[in-house]
Amino acid sequence: MNITGIIAEYNPFHNGHAYQLRKARTETDADYIIIVMSGNFVQRGAPALLDKYTRTKMALLEGADLVIELPAIWSSASAEYFAGAGTFLLDRLGCVQTLCYGCETPPNNASSAHVYEHILLLLKQETPLYKKHLQNALASGASYALARQNALLSLLPDSEHDEALALLQNPNNILALEYQKALAQASSAIRIHPVLRQGEGYHSARLSKGFASATAIRRYLASRPETSCTKQEPYSYAMPALALALLLEYENSNPFLYENDCSHMLHYCLLSHAAAGFAGFADCTPDISNRIVRHLNDYTGFSDFCTLLKSKNIAYTRISRILTHILLDIRQSDYACWRSRSYVPYANVLGFRKDAESLFTQLKKHSDLPLLTRAADVKNRLSADEQAFFQKNLFADHVYQALVFQKSRKSKKQALRRQIVIV
């Protein structure tokens, strides 16, 4: 049986995602496709536009066979942890042969393959010289992403600089490198299969017909007049029909969520923890903690506070992730504990296709992770500390539900009471 894995957010599911699924199915000759998908909070440090069950149904209707949740601790983390957790989860399922991902510069392209290899070698080895260049770049005031880029360029031949720059300045390429690094760290037998990204770039806000980015779709939905969501709107051409129908259906009874919907709840959390500081929260430092405390009286909302706190060496997205970690009570200690234990202690099933029974047979036979398909599995199949990890993710779901209620005054079902999606 040939099984291919994809790590994704589907926030929301668009034509580019459908294209990747089709390519994954045909080019890897996959019998089944497993998606490891972010739960209710996503990597840029924000709530997902639609809840995880709706996005799961989109994926299943558009070609996926099984969707497993990437817990909030890692779905809201930096590229290294996001990719590491998703990759380790797929590897521990024990039956995934291929990891398929989108990128702007495929590593199997003859002109870039050697550059990928050189960069990967430097990232995996983390030699003293690389660490020295990285620390020097950070000390000069560069952000981590720019510091890493400069450190790598300083150790690569001049002839590879242009290719390396093009590679390192695209977000999907960075994730591609992190996926490959994580597979090497896990000594995994999983092969990689890159798919060239189509249409608009990851950060593009242009709603082109065909392949627009999830960013463009979210921005349009956030800026348009309320209750104007119809099949004829510009973003609708960027989504496959079944996913679009689900989005329209969702908005009839639920609000879309954005980072500023967290503003009031986050403000309370910041005020509650200000006396103790924030250095204990994931990805935060004493300097950033002091910066948060120093500017707390100027707080007016989530996005404005991110803009206020960002600096030459602290990117907006890092601040956004830190604030989300404060909101969700995700700590440095959570990172340290669970990264050392292969990131995730279970596979929480969000949904599957009815005709995927033989896939479950394979998972039960080969996986060294317990598959959670009902509420009772949490107590029956997880140890006490693994249950605590699950509760941390469940807390993130409760926060998401509270944000939905705050915006719409409609209560969502408790996460443990929601039935997994079956199509």
Side-chain angles (χ1 to χ4, degrees):
M1 182 179 292
N2 198 4
I3 301 171
T4 293
I6 293 174
I7 302 166
E9 292 187 329
Y10 297 152
N11 189 37
F13 193 99
H14 56 63
N15 288 341
H17 299 135
Y19 174 84
Q20 184 194 14
L21 275 171
R22 290 195 301 272
K23 285 285 188 177
R25 179 80 66 183
T26 58
E27 294 181 353
T28 70
D29 195 27
D31 297 302
Y32 293 104
I33 295 179
I34 297 175
I35 309 297
V36 172
M37 190 192 76
S38 299
N40 284 325
F41 287 84
V42 294
Q43 201 221 339
R44 61 194 177 87
L49 183 75
L50 312 97
D51 72 31
K52 61 187 182 183
Y53 295 103
T54 304
R55 290 181 290 120
T56 292
K57 191 171 184 179
M58 287 179 172
L60 294 172
L61 289 176
E62 296 294 348
D65 297 294
L66 173 69
V67 180
I68 293 172
E69 182 174 16
L70 184 64
I73 287 178
W74 308 120
S75 70
S76 63
S78 66
E80 179 182 9
Y81 290 167
F82 175 92
T87 302
F88 271 65
L89 207 164
L90 285 172
D91 184 65
R92 294 185 66 194
L93 293 177
C95 57
V96 176
Q97 285 84 32
T98 308
L99 170 61
C100 180
Y101 54 78
C103 57
E104 293 87 356
T105 310
N108 55 5
N109 184 309
S111 65
S112 58
H114 64 289
V115 180
Y116 260 107
E117 290 174 5
H118 286 182
I119 292 174
L120 268 173
L121 188 63
L122 291 169
L123 290 175
K124 287 187 285 189
Q125 290 180 337
E126 289 193 335
T127 63
L129 186 57
Y130 167 76
K131 289 180 179 178
K132 179 182 177 181
H133 283 293
L134 180 64
Q135 291 304 317
N136 288 344
L138 289 169
S140 71
S143 66
Y144 181 82
L146 182 59
R148 183 173 68 169
Q149 174 183 295
N150 291 340
L152 291 168
L153 290 175
S154 67
L155 298 175
L156 290 170
D158 290 344
S159 60
E160 296 181 2
H161 279 201
D162 289 346
E163 193 84 43
L165 266 175
L167 195 158
L168 292 168
Q169 290 177 344
N170 286 291
N172 285 300
N173 286 343
I174 292 170
L175 272 175
L177 287 165
E178 293 296 349
Y179 290 143
Q180 293 178 71
K181 185 176 78 172
L183 287 172
Q185 290 172 342
S187 300
S188 174
I190 293 177
R191 302 182 298 269
I192 61 167
H193 185 83
V195 172
L196 185 64
R197 183 183 178 92
Q198 301 295 304
E200 298 296 324
Y202 181 87
H203 295 299
S204 172
R206 183 170 174 264
L207 271 176
S208 60
K209 290 186 178 181
F211 293 102
S213 69
T215 299
I217 296 171
R218 289 194 304 270
R219 287 185 182 177
Y220 180 83
L221 291 171
S223 63
R224 82 203 200 294
E226 289 188 13
T227 69
S228 71
C229 197
T230 69
K231 289 184 179 180
Q232 285 72 44
E233 290 191 81
Y235 73 89
S236 64
Y237 299 104
M239 296 182 66
L242 295 175
L244 175 62
L246 277 175
L247 183 140
L248 296 171
E249 179 185 335
Y250 183 89
E251 197 191 30
N252 284 334
S253 55
N254 302 281
F256 297 134
L257 289 189
Y258 306 95
E259 58 185 12
N260 279 328
D261 292 317
C262 302
S263 294
H264 295 311
M265 197 180 296
L266 173 66
H267 195 198
Y268 173 80
C269 292
L270 293 174
L271 292 171
S272 298
H273 294 289
F278 304 95
F281 290 95
D283 206 28
C284 199
T285 65
D287 286 344
I288 296 176
S289 173
N290 291 337
R291 193 173 179 84
I292 292 173
V293 173
R294 190 165 63 249
H295 290 286
L296 193 50
N297 286 337
D298 301 315
Y299 183 93
T300 57
F302 193 108
S303 60
D304 286 344
F305 203 49
C306 288
T307 301
L308 182 64
L309 294 177
K310 76 180 182 70
S311 64
K312 180 181 177 182
N313 64 332
I314 310 172
Y316 181 104
T317 51
R318 181 177 179 185
I319 294 295
S320 182
R321 282 193 288 267
I322 291 170
L323 295 181
T324 297
H325 296 154
I326 294 169
L327 179 68
L328 302 181
D329 193 33
I330 298 172
R331 306 276 179 159
Q332 304 275 19
S333 56
D334 296 319
Y335 274 17
C337 173
W338 292 104
R339 194 184 185 196
S340 68
R341 298 174 62 179
S342 300
Y343 291 94
V344 186
Y346 55 76
N348 187 37
V349 176
L350 295 177
F352 61 90
R353 297 183 64 88
K354 291 177 183 177
D355 56 6
E357 289 183 12
S358 56
L359 174 58
F360 273 97
T361 301
Q362 287 292 105
L363 289 171
K364 290 173 182 177
K365 183 178 178 180
H366 296 286
S367 177
D368 67 353
L369 290 173
L371 261 65
L372 308 184
T373 58
R374 53 182 183 169
D377 291 338
V378 178
K379 288 187 177 181
N380 295 339
R381 307 196 63 192
L382 302 183
S383 65
D385 57 343
E386 291 168 347
Q387 289 183 43
F389 182 95
F390 181 89
Q391 290 298 325
K392 179 78 71 169
N393 192 61
L394 186 60
F395 175 74
D397 288 338
H398 290 327
V399 170
Y400 191 89
Q401 292 156 11
L403 293 171
V404 169
F405 177 74
Q406 173 185 283
K407 193 167 185 179
S408 68
R409 297 299 174 184
K410 294 179 180 179
S411 179
K412 298 287 285 182
K413 290 183 180 179
Q414 295 295 318
L416 277 174
R417 296 178 185 171
R418 288 288 296 268
Q419 292 186 341
I420 60 177
V421 179
I422 304 174
V423 301

